[in-house]
Amino acid sequence: MTTAESSTDQRLLASMLRIRMVEQTIADRYSEQEMRCPVHLSIGQEAPAAAMSLVAEPADYAVSTHRGHAHYLAKGGDLSRMIAEIYGKVGGCSRGRGGSMHLADPSVGFMGTSAIVGNSIPVGVGLGMALQIKAQPNVSFVFLGDGATEEGVFYESANFAALRKLPVIFMCENNQYSVYSNLEERQPASRRIVEVARALGVPALEVDGNDARASHVTVANVVAQTRAGAGPALIEFETHRLREHCGPNWDDELGYRKPGELASWLKRDPIKALLDSGTFDPEWIESTTADIRTEIDAAFRFAKNSPYPDPAELAEDVYA
């Protein structure tokens, strides 16, 4: 392994460990009843976000979904402000008014998440159009799940992006489930998301979304092409959420997954896969995890010490 490859592996692993440790801490502390908003954890599907974190430039844009913690952090969002937002505190990135599903930090190009499936897709396409009008050599990352490809807004947005040749990267994290319904129960077996995108004029690629290296190479290549003027593209990451749809718990006892399905995905854990396939200095891992733990502890202290929003300001920033 070359020095450059080793550095890339370390950056991917550090990004995934940070996302995993943050969400694990949220899960561990959720029962304290101080985080009073729903949380949708992406434990098990950290690799696409980590891949984006190595490629995205500060002036690039990103939007995401209700499961957006990883994308916010990977785009450079402030951890303390994210945790404060989940605690509903005024120090949060949305001033404590949005909670886990409404994260935003325009200062780093993270333009927002939405609780409505598919709702952020046209926003990301509009951001791509703004970049094109301004002739900026940047791209707009649009994170979406497989369920969002069943919304009409996906078809309209992808068609418009293809028509205008916009610098938009659709980052489709196909975790197989829309809440508790498997993809097989929602779409014909012969239909593939990448083929739907191609039919709309958007070039599309599939990649193992639990393979951090493959995800990084794919994202880097696609982004380079889009920055050069190739127009939009869709990357479908095959991955899996390991925890429940909404909440901090495991939910395999509900029976909506096939027997053995969760166990098979646990064996494909993206962090374990990278650790097993690479050579990492144990002292570097220990130092990295210690630094992340220190950052997380500070973020939770910040959140707990931040005040709640003033009720008198309830109507501020409301547009109708």
Side-chain angles (χ1 to χ4, degrees):
M1 181 181 294
T2 66
T3 301
E5 289 170 338
S6 175
S7 175
T8 298
D9 277 0
Q10 285 187 346
R11 293 171 65 196
L12 286 170
L13 182 59
S15 180
M16 290 195 295
L17 282 172
R18 182 170 180 252
I19 294 167
R20 175 71 60 89
M21 290 172 66
V22 167
E23 291 210 310
Q24 183 63 58
T25 306
I26 292 171
D28 292 343
R29 298 192 179 190
Y30 198 74
S31 62
E32 295 171 358
Q33 298 294 310
E34 293 185 61
M35 292 175 267
R36 303 300 292 170
C37 65
V39 293
H40 299 74
L41 305 178
S42 57
I43 290 175
Q45 41 183 99
E46 294 89 350
M52 188 269 289
S53 75
L54 268 61
V55 175
E57 297 177 356
D60 291 335
Y61 291 126
V63 295
S64 182
T65 71
H66 53 280
R67 202 178 306 282
H69 299 163
H71 313 137
Y72 171 92
L73 294 173
K75 190 59 180 70
D78 185 273
L79 174 59
S80 292
R81 295 183 67 207
M82 185 184 94
I83 300 300
E85 186 59 39
I86 297 173
Y87 272 76
K89 299 296 187 69
V90 75
C93 59
S94 298
R95 299 176 61 194
R97 301 176 181 213
S100 166
M101 293 189 284
H102 300 94
L103 307 174
D105 190 346
S107 70
V108 296
F110 193 80
M111 306 306 284
T113 62
S114 173
I116 307 300
V117 174
N119 200 39
S120 55
I121 297 175
V123 176
V125 171
L127 291 166
M129 187 172 181
L131 290 170
Q132 185 184 70
I133 291 172
K134 295 178 180 178
Q136 286 184 227
N138 296 104
V139 301
S140 175
F141 294 93
V142 180
F143 284 92
L144 67 155
D146 48 295
T149 67
E150 296 158 14
E151 298 285 343
V153 71
F154 168 73
Y155 293 83
E156 297 177 28
S157 300
N159 178 71
F160 187 77
L163 178 67
R164 295 297 188 98
K165 212 173 180 180
L166 300 178
V168 176
I169 314 293
F170 297 98
M171 304 279 284
C172 180
E173 295 178 332
N174 181 355
N175 67 13
Q176 328 292 317
Y177 285 92
S178 177
V179 189
Y180 302 120
S181 297
N182 189 283
L183 192 62
E184 296 175 355
E185 299 167 333
R186 307 182 339 252
Q187 298 190 23
S190 61
R191 181 182 298 167
R192 297 167 59 210
I193 292 173
V194 288
E195 291 183 349
V196 171
R198 290 167 188 159
L200 293 166
V202 177
L205 297 169
E206 293 172 288
V207 64
D208 181 348
N210 279 23
D211 184 331
R213 287 179 185 144
S215 295
H216 170 244
V217 169
T218 301
V219 173
N221 289 338
V222 168
V223 169
Q225 293 169 7
T226 300
R227 290 194 200 283
L234 181 143
I235 305 172
E236 180 183 352
F237 301 90
E238 183 191 24
T239 186
H240 205 76
R241 63 166 169 78
L242 300 178
R243 296 296 184 98
E244 60 185 334
H245 163 66
C246 179
N249 302 310
W250 300 92
D251 67 351
D252 205 32
E253 77 283 359
L254 297 180
Y256 67 91
R257 303 187 222 232
K258 297 174 183 176
E261 183 178 1
L262 177 60
S264 70
W265 280 98
L266 283 168
K267 292 178 181 177
R268 293 176 58 184
D269 183 301
I271 294 177
K272 180 179 182 300
L274 186 57
L275 283 169
D276 289 347
S277 63
T279 302
F280 295 93
D281 182 346
E283 291 186 4
W284 176 84
I285 294 176
E286 182 176 354
S287 172
T288 299
T289 54
D291 289 346
I292 295 171
R293 174 50 56 197
T294 299
E295 182 192 14
I296 292 172
D297 290 344
F300 275 84
R301 281 198 302 275
F302 172 81
K304 285 175 174 283
N305 292 332
S306 181
Y308 287 105
D310 185 343
E313 299 175 352
L314 184 62
E316 289 187 5
D317 302 325
V318 174
Y319 301 92

